[in-house]
């Protein structure tokens, strides 16, 4: 069996119905079909579980980013981080700009990095946590602290990043929520730079990776 980037599932042999009495020809044909089938299965398993078998795995995953500035109108509202660009999607999609939705139940690893900016003259904090289907996930909050701006037109920048395992059912969605201590804290994107040439800075990046089926 030829090894490919995508392993092929061997076709189940069609053995038909046995004759009333023993027939050597019928026995040989069925024996050959079964033998060929198990050879193919052995080849597939050998490729999959060999030293480089991981390259044949096709696990659900998603990667998304945003290219816009995101601001908070006040400090008493929870805001969902939004995403407007899909980099990779296999069983994971973004609905309503913020709802990272999975097609399969399981344990998922969510990782994010958010480019925060503080334009105020004081130290500020921002809380970042998760919601599943609109409900806050207990004990999922993180608090990030920011120094005051460096000067007029020169804000303080910091990346907030972490990963989190979350249990989801099929078609559940998870959102990344944030709330700053001052509206002068925002999520900001930066255009590509020059001298030297540098890529643009997305305001937010998130990835979702399937880890495991749920424990029974």
């Amino acid at each position: 069996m030829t090894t490919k980037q995508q392993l092929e599932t061997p076709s189940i042999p069609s053995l038909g119905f046995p004759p009333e009495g023993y027939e050597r020809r019928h026995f040989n044909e069925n024996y050959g079909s079964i033998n060929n089938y198990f050879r193919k299965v052995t080849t597939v398993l050998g490729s999959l579980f060999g030293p480089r078998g991981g390259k044949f795995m096709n696990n659900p995953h998603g990667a998304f980013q945003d290219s816009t500035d995101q601001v908070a109108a006040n400090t008493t509202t929870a805001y969902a981080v939004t995403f407007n660009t899909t980099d990779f999607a296999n069983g994971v999609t973004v609905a309503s700009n913020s709802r990272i939705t999975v097609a399969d139940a399981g344990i998922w690893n969510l990782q994010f990095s958010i480019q925060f900016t503080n334009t105020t003259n004081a130290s500020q904090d921002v809380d970042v946590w998760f919601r599943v289907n609109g409900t806050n996930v207990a004990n999922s909050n993180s608090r990030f602290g920011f120094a005051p701006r460096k000067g007029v037109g020169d804000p303080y920048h910091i990346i907030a990043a972490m990963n989190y395992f979350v249990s989801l059912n099929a078609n559940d969605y998870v959102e990344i929520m944030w709330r700053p201590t001052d509206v002068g804290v925002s999520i900001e994107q930066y255009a590509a730079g020059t001298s030297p040439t540098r890529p643009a800075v997305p305001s937010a990046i998130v990835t979702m990776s399937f880890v495991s089926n749920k424990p029974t």
Side-chain angles (χ1 to χ4, degrees):
M1 185 175 184
T2 304
T3 300
K4 300 180 180 180
Q5 282 300 113
Q6 182 71 41
L7 293 177
E8 296 179 354
T9 303
S11 299
I12 298 175
S14 179
L15 303 180
F17 296 99
E20 291 293 334
Y22 169 79
E23 291 184 7
R24 184 176 184 84
R25 179 186 60 81
H26 179 82
F27 175 83
N28 288 343
E29 289 176 354
N30 285 352
Y31 178 85
S33 296
I34 294 172
N35 184 55
N36 186 50
Y37 173 73
F38 280 109
R39 284 181 182 274
K40 291 180 179 180
V41 170
T42 301
T43 300
V44 169
L45 293 176
S47 298
L48 183 61
F49 294 107
R52 300 179 62 189
K55 68 180 181 179
F56 299 114
M57 301 295 288
N58 187 21
N59 293 328
H61 59 270
F64 313 93
Q65 59 178 279
D66 191 67
S67 59
T68 65
D69 296 338
Q70 302 182 38
V71 299
N74 59 67
T75 61
T76 58
T77 300
Y79 295 91
V81 179
T82 59
F83 304 92
N84 64 4
T85 301
T86 297
D87 295 317
F88 303 98
N90 180 25
V92 184
T93 56
V94 172
S96 302
N97 297 320
S98 65
R99 298 178 176 182
I100 305 163
T101 308
V102 300
D104 301 298
I107 306 300
W108 292 81
N109 182 19
L110 185 157
Q111 295 182 282
F112 70 79
S113 63
I114 303 173
Q115 178 67 69
F116 282 108
T117 297
N118 180 18
T119 61
T120 75
N121 290 319
S123 298
Q124 303 294 343
D125 295 322
V126 65
D127 288 341
V128 181
W129 69 98
F130 304 108
R131 283 181 177 174
V132 171
N133 300 332
T135 301
N136 289 336
V137 177
N139 304 312
S140 68
N141 195 19
S142 295
R143 181 163 295 174
F144 299 90
F146 312 131
R149 68 180 182 179
K150 291 169 280 186
V152 177
D154 189 10
Y156 178 80
H157 313 283
I158 191 172
I159 286 285
M162 66 174 295
N163 74 288
Y164 190 81
F165 277 23
V166 59
S167 176
L168 299 172
N169 294 316
N171 301 314
D172 278 355
Y173 67 86
V174 59
E175 292 178 290
I176 304 171
M177 310 301 298
W178 68 289
R179 173 264 180 189
T181 54
D182 191 280
V183 295
V185 173
S186 63
I187 301 174
E188 192 164 355
Q189 62 83 32
Y190 295 94
T194 58
S195 300
T197 301
R198 306 183 302 280
V201 179
S203 56
I205 298 172
V206 66
T207 62
M208 283 282 281
S209 303
F210 184 81
V211 176
S212 170
N213 288 328
K214 290 187 174 184
T216 57

